[in-house]
């Protein structure tokens, strides 16, 4: 089946699953965070209105106090608050020589601390490739040093330190921090109605029951986010660019896929709201992304400009519900998408630069009054129509507040200053965004305690209760797609010989795996005699085994070495168990096997969960959160009799 046909199938399935919200609320026009000076407060939820208990005790934003702080800033300081930049190095003041040289080349300074001071930055984003994330204690020390630099320069406003810690396919911080199942794995648990372990630990690792209306699965999604948020906060990170609110209805989507909770907009909405409450309950700003929805694109906005072909009615049915749910849950921030969406704005501008989308829909229709952050401005999707000097100005004119990771920070900063001086942007417009950003910082307690307390990393990051909770949550995610000859579960009491082979992608954080080795090790620990072999030796090693488990990773249509490997293994006569370790669409592109599983993630926690399902240590309870066109419907999943 072609990708285009598969896309149409998923689109139809998702549309049938959607429940259209009755009526459209009317919202007042939005000026500043509370309607502008003297203006009406817009209808709709505000991040300050989150449910009691979802936000740790701390400072409620005092808008009058924050307005006085903004009034005392210079224009350069105000503009600096709008920017969130990368910086190279594990230390704010003593980076490795290569990182210092990279900072000098890009920013004209050698250290992250100097960068904060020069541009009066509002935030720093951490990346593993920028060498910011060597380990929890190092990250906490980096965070504290950056906050000291912010306190000593300019207006003294604390930084909002952020990262992309979605878990699953995108994780910047790895072991010894806790790695949890990603979004689609949690979606598989939701499809099963929350069956599986629920955990009874204490602290953030224990059961987080949520509201009475939460299902067991949404409570577990919330629990996962609370654990993730607690660990980020312990490292000084107070904004996470998660959860992903995109509804993945396109199997060919190259950039979302398993980062989405699934293709059913109502299920995605429930899980997004749960994770917003979990993150923010742990003191970390959640960021719903990528508005207005990136789930039905076939271009990666990192390298091109995707076009979303949904009609306005389809958008309302499929793409809007998770973002509306996030707003209603009191989400602190929403991230824009670098996509063209003609039904919402026929101008051809990407959503990040579209006033009809950012202000007209997100602010006015959905009533969102928190912080709007752009997706990274160094991505190709936002740079094709306008130059790097115009993009930040146009993003602010559209209604964005935070300008994330511009390719040339100096140029971007100068361009915004010049736009104000020329009258294209007013000081009042800049101050609206600065005030929203400061309110977010106040909500997250940064004006009271910007530094991480001593000992917090050891007390919270990667602790046994969190690691146990991660395994408990993962236990309900593995989906048994096929088992026609009842090959599974293998009987560990018989000590069966098992060969594990297939694709070994690098861990998202670089700290786990390789998946075939982890899977073999876990099977052995459960009673099997399992060995891992590379694909080049797997066919010769297959005879004599009770089963061969072959891990596949995003098998494309057409000829592919993974398809060749599966065919050759089937030809040996040894029963083959297909384990799709990322997108669950692989079975539709491969010959049928004796058993087929989907894990949605290839980190250690999901490989351990898969091993427990294979050996019957736990019953499979996951259900497909997306249909696999031509093979399995939405919600499909088997268990053992």
């Amino acid at each position: 089946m072609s990708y285009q046909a598969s896309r149409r199938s998923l689109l139809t399935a998702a549309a049938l699953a959607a429940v259209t919200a009755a009526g459209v609320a009317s919202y007042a026009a939005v000026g500043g965070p509370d309607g502008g000076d003297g203006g009406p407060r817009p209808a709709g939820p505000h991040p300050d209105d989150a449910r009691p208990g979802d936000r740790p005790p701390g400072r409620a934003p005092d808008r009058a106090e924050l307005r006085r702080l903004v009034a005392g800033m210079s224009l350069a300081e105000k503009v600096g608050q709008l920017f969130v930049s990368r910086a190279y190095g594990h230390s704010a003041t003593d980076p490795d020589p290569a990182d210092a040289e990279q900072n000098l080349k890009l920013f004209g300074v050698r250290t992250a601390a100097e960068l904060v001071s020069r541009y009066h930055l509002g935030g720093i984003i951490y990346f593993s490739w920028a060498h910011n994330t060597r380990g929890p204690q190092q990250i906490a020390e980096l965070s504290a040093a950056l906050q000291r630099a912010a306190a000593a320069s300019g207006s003294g406003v604390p930084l909002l330190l952020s990262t992309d810690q979605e878990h699953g396919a995108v994780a910047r911080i790895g072991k010894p921090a806790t790695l949890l199942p990603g979004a689609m794995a949690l979606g598989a648990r939701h499809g099963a109605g929350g069956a599986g372990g629920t955990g009874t630990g204490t602290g953030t690792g224990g059961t987080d029951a949520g509201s009475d209306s939460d299902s067991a699965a949404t409570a577990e999604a919330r629990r996962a986010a609370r654990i993730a948020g607690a660990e980020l906060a312990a490292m000084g990170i107070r904004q996470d660019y998660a959860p992903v609110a995109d509804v993945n209805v396109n199997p060919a989507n190259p950039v979302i896929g398993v980062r989405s909770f699934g293709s059913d907009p109502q299920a995605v909405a429930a899980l997004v709201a749960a994770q917003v409450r979990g993150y923010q309950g742990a003191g970390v700003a959640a960021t719903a992304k990528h508005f207005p929805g990136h789930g039905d694109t076939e271009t990666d906005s990192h390298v091109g400009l995707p076009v979303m072909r949904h009609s306005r009615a389809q958008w309302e049915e499929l793409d809007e519900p998770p973002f509306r749910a996030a707003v209603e849950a009191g989400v602190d921030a929403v991230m824009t998408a670098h996509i063209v969406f003609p039904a919402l704005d026929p101008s051809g501008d990407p959503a990040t630069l579209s006033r009809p989308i950012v202000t007209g829909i997100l602010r006015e229709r959905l009533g969102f009054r928190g912080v709007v952050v752009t997706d990274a401005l160094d991505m190709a999707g936002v740079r094709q129509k306008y130059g790097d000097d115009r993009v930040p100005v146009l993003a602010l004119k559209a209604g964005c507040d935070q300008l994330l990771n511009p390719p040339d920070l100096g140029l971007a900063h100068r361009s915004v200053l010049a736009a104000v001086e020329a009258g294209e942007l007013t000081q009042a417009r800049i101050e609206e965004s600065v005030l929203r950003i400061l309110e977010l910082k106040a909500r997250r307690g940064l004006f009271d305690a910007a530094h991480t307390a001593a000992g917090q990393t050891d007390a919270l990051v990667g602790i046994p209760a969190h690691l146990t909770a991660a395994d408990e949550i993962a236990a309900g995610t593995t989906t048994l797609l096929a088992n026609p000859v009842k090959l599974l579960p293998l009987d560990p009491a018989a000590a069966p010989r098992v060969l594990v082979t297939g694709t070994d992608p690098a861990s998202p954080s670089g700290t786990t795996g390789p998946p075939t080795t982890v899977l073999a090790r876990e099977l052995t620990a459960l009673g099997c005699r399992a060995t891992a072999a590379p694909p080049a030796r797997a066919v010769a090693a297959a005879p004599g085994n009770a089963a061969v488990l072959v891990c596949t990773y995003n098998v494309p249509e057409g000829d592919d070495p993974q398809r060749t490997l599966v065919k050759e293994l089937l030809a040996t006569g040894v029963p083959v168990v297909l384990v799709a370790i990322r997108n669950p669409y692989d079975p539709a592109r491969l010959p049928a096997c004796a058993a087929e599983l989907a894990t949605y993630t290839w980190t250690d926690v999901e490989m351990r969960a898969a091993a427990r399902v294979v050996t019957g240590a736990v019953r499979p309870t996951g259900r497909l959160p997306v249909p696999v066109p031509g093979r399995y419907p939405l919600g499909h999943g088997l268990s053992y009799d």
Side-chain angles (χ1 to χ4, degrees):
M1 179 179 291
S2 70
Y3 277 148
Q4 187 63 27
S6 298
R7 188 198 70 81
R8 286 195 298 269
S9 298
L10 273 176
L11 188 62
T12 301
L16 291 172
V19 177
T20 305
V24 176
S26 175
Y27 295 101
V30 177
D34 57 352
D37 292 330
R41 174 170 169 162
H46 187 275
D48 292 346
D49 302 329
R51 299 184 315 183
D54 285 337
R55 187 175 65 252
R59 177 199 286 251
D62 182 330
R63 291 182 175 84
E65 179 183 341
L66 294 178
R67 287 182 191 279
R68 287 192 292 271
L69 178 57
V70 174
M73 293 181 182
S74 68
L75 177 59
E77 289 168 348
K78 294 172 188 174
V79 170
Q81 282 297 307
L82 308 178
F83 284 98
V84 180
S85 177
R86 69 199 181 282
Y88 290 82
H90 70 288
S91 166
T93 56
D94 187 25
D96 292 339
D99 290 323
E101 287 302 312
Q102 187 74 348
N103 286 330
L104 187 63
K105 175 183 176 182
L106 292 173
F107 308 120
V109 298
R110 289 187 174 275
T111 71
E114 293 173 310
L115 183 66
V116 169
S117 179
R118 170 172 287 198
Y119 290 104
H120 315 289
L121 290 178
I124 293 283
I125 179 173
Y126 290 166
F127 291 109
S128 53
W129 51 260
H131 309 141
N132 304 137
T133 58
R134 290 184 177 178
Q137 188 59 45
Q138 168 268 319
I139 296 170
E141 291 170 357
L142 172 62
S143 300
L146 287 170
Q147 294 292 8
R148 288 193 294 269
S153 63
S155 61
V157 174
L159 292 162
L160 188 59
L161 301 174
S162 59
T163 196
D164 294 284
Q165 190 76 350
E166 298 172 13
H167 290 273
V170 176
R172 308 299 187 198
I173 302 169
K175 292 168 62 177
T178 305
L179 290 171
L180 293 139
M184 194 168 284
L186 294 173
R189 188 183 181 99
H190 185 274
T198 57
T200 56
T202 60
T204 54
T207 300
D208 183 3
S211 71
D212 292 339
S213 63
D214 283 342
S215 70
T218 55
E220 289 293 75
R222 185 179 179 190
R223 180 189 186 203
R226 188 177 284 265
I227 291 169
E231 296 200 1
L232 289 174
M235 292 180 276
I237 299 168
R238 294 298 184 86
Q239 183 172 18
D240 192 10
Y241 297 125
V244 171
D246 305 313
V247 180
N248 198 78
V249 296
N250 189 342
N253 195 319
V255 68
I256 303 301
V258 294
R259 297 169 63 196
S260 164
F261 291 105
S263 65
D264 179 343
Q266 301 306 318
V268 174
L271 292 165
V272 165
Q275 291 227 301
V276 166
R277 293 181 175 121
Y279 281 117
Q280 295 185 181
V284 169
T287 308
K289 62 185 186 184
H290 307 79
F291 190 81
H294 209 316
D296 191 11
T297 58
E298 295 187 9
T299 301
D300 183 345
S301 52
H302 292 85
V303 298
L305 179 57
V307 178
M308 191 74 154
R309 300 297 184 187
H310 288 186
S311 67
R312 176 67 180 241
Q314 287 174 320
W315 177 79
E316 291 176 0
E317 280 192 293
L318 301 176
D319 305 295
E320 180 185 24
F323 291 101
R324 181 176 291 280
V327 172
E328 291 174 352
V331 70
D332 276 339
V334 173
M335 179 182 285
T336 61
H338 302 328
I339 61 171
V340 172
F341 208 131
L344 304 183
D345 179 0
S347 71
D349 286 344
T352 298
L353 310 182
S354 168
R355 186 168 180 82
I357 291 175
V358 176
T359 296
I361 297 177
L362 180 56
R363 294 269 188 226
E364 296 173 5
R365 175 182 169 88
L366 297 186
F368 179 61
R369 289 176 286 123
V371 169
V372 178
V373 56
T374 71
D375 206 345
L377 297 183
D378 62 346
M379 294 166 59
V382 78
R383 303 174 70 191
Q384 293 195 357
K385 189 174 180 181
Y386 302 100
D388 291 338
D389 59 332
R390 294 297 298 156
V391 166
V393 175
L394 295 174
L396 292 170
K397 292 177 74 172
C400 297
D401 302 306
Q402 283 184 315
L403 305 170
L404 178 61
N405 204 31
D408 186 333
L409 177 60
L411 175 63
H413 192 271
R414 291 191 301 273
S415 297
V416 175
L417 286 173
V420 175
E421 291 164 358
E424 185 178 7
L425 290 168
T426 66
Q427 286 236 29
R429 171 65 192 90
I430 299 299
E431 290 172 358
E432 288 174 5
S433 287
V434 174
L435 188 56
R436 289 189 187 104
I437 293 164
L438 296 188
E439 287 177 353
L440 191 159
K441 292 180 179 183
R443 273 196 304 278
R444 295 300 145 223
L446 288 169
F447 286 99
D448 299 321
H451 294 213
T452 301
Q456 284 296 295
T457 52
D458 290 341
L460 284 173
V461 180
I463 59 175
H466 288 181
L467 298 174
T468 298
D471 279 326
E472 290 170 348
I473 295 167
T477 63
T478 303
T479 305
L480 178 62
L481 300 172
N483 194 26
V485 296
K486 306 296 185 184
L487 174 68
L488 300 182
L490 300 178
D491 181 7
R497 286 185 57 193
V498 180
L499 181 69
V500 183
T501 188
T503 305
D504 270 328
S507 168
S509 64
T511 61
T512 69
T516 59
T517 300
V518 174
L519 186 54
R521 182 175 66 235
E522 293 299 320
L523 289 169
T524 297
L526 291 165
C528 299
R529 291 176 293 157
T531 57
R537 294 196 288 109
V539 175
N545 285 280
V548 177
L549 275 64
V550 55
C551 295
T552 63
Y553 182 96
N554 293 3
V555 178
E557 294 183 331
D559 293 335
D560 182 78
Q562 296 183 86
R563 181 176 293 102
T564 300
L565 174 63
V566 171
K567 288 181 178 179
E568 290 178 350
L569 288 171
L570 288 169
T572 67
V574 177
V576 174
V577 178
L578 171 67
V579 185
I581 61 174
R582 185 165 176 165
N583 287 344
Y585 309 114
D586 288 359
R589 298 162 189 162
L590 293 168
C593 296
E596 297 174 355
L597 299 167
T599 67
Y600 312 100
T601 313
W602 63 103
T603 51
D604 291 4
V605 68
E606 290 294 353
M607 292 300 96
R608 289 195 296 270
R612 295 197 296 273
V613 166
V614 167
T615 59
V618 299
R619 296 172 66 250
T621 57
R623 299 291 183 267
L624 276 173
V626 294
V628 177
R631 290 293 289 273
Y632 306 115
L634 178 71
H636 173 77
L638 306 177
S639 192
Y640 300 140
D641 296 333

